[in-house]
Structures are given as structure tokens and as C-alpha cells.
Amino acid sequence: MAEHTRASITIDATPAEVMAVIADFAAYPAWTGEVKEIEVLESDADGRGARVRLLLDAGAIRDEHVLAYTWDGDRQVGWTLVKSQMLRTLDGSYTLAPLAGGGTEVTYQLAVDVKIPMLGMIKRKAEKVIIDRALDGLKKRVEG
């Protein structure tokens, strides 16, 4: 990911508990807001989604994506865009690190490139909004 946006949050749970929520694609519409529909097209050997179709509706932006996921235990999950009508790139990752005093630091990294011309500054702002909403939603889902 050449140009990307990154943010972190601390969640009061183990990395395994956080990753279980991230891997539970069926529950995304309940906590992500923008994901209206989701379908796991392929699973990996551990039963986690390897290719996933998402229907997103963020008001002005409505798009269907297919993402390819790679998992590294409860340490990291990354994804790359396979197919989209509006996006050229949607590459991201969650990296989970256990904290000495308990809890997990979750770092979300994201790079988005749209098919229509857009200033880099506007893209970074959109990435920041996506990341902040995702981390807040994830924290509420895991801790709630």
C-alpha cells in the first residue's frame, strides 16, 4: 500500500475475541452501518472468509465489492479488491497486538482509489472517515 491512512484503537478484549468479531462477516450489517448485505463466496482452510461480496450503501456511495482476504491467525487480516464498480483499489488490514496490561491494540490501515478523478487529500479524508467508523463500530461490538 503506497499511499494509505492508518489509525489505532484499544479494545478491552483479547486478540482472539477481536478477530472473532472481524471474521464474523454475517454480523457486519448489524454493526458496520454501511454494509447492507454480505456473502462469503469462498472460505479458507480454517473456515474464515477468503473471498467475500459486500453491498455497501453509504448514502452518496452505493457499490458492490468482492474482496480477497488473507488471515494470519489472530494477528492480522488483510484484504485486496477483486471487483468493484466504483473503486480501482480497496486494500486494507487490521493488525492486532496484545497489550501488557490487557486488551488489544487494533490498527486499521486502508488505501482507496476510485475510478473517478479525486484529489488525494479528499481520498485520505474519506479513508479516515471509513477507518474511524470501522474502529468505533468494532470496539462497540466487541466490548458490548
Side-chain angles (χ1 to χ4, degrees):
M1 284 186 253
E3 287 189 56
H4 64 270
T5 302
R6 176 190 309 220
S8 297
I9 196 167
T10 299
I11 297 179
D12 188 21
T14 66
E17 291 167 329
V18 175
M19 194 61 85
V21 170
I22 293 169
D24 184 9
F25 290 110
Y28 275 37
W31 65 271
T32 61
E34 290 85 12
V35 177
K36 302 304 178 193
E37 209 177 282
I38 197 153
E39 177 186 7
V40 176
L41 303 172
E42 292 175 27
S43 296
D44 68 8
D46 295 323
R48 289 178 167 170
R51 284 175 69 93
V52 180
R53 182 186 66 81
L54 301 94
L55 176 62
L56 302 175
D57 189 350
I61 298 175
R62 183 176 165 89
D63 196 13
E64 183 175 311
H65 313 311
V66 174
L67 301 175
Y69 285 82
T70 54
W71 303 85
D72 181 10
D74 292 328
R75 291 171 295 282
Q76 185 175 51
V77 58
W79 57 90
T80 58
L81 184 67
V82 175
K83 184 174 95 174
S84 171
Q85 296 169 347
M86 297 181 72
L87 301 178
R88 194 182 337 265
T89 304
L90 180 64
D91 295 339
S93 66
Y94 282 110
T95 303
L96 282 55
L99 298 173
T104 301
E105 181 181 53
V106 180
T107 301
Y108 187 156
Q109 182 170 297
L110 185 66
V112 177
D113 191 16
V114 292
K115 292 181 179 175
I116 57 171
M118 185 181 287
L119 292 173
M121 181 179 73
I122 296 171
K123 279 191 264 189
R124 299 294 86 76
K125 183 160 178 62
E127 290 170 354
K128 175 121 178 65
V129 168
I130 292 166
I131 288 171
D132 289 348
R133 282 188 188 160
L135 288 174
D136 289 345
L138 179 61
K139 181 176 178 72
K140 286 178 185 153
R141 182 73 177 188
V142 173
E143 293 179 354

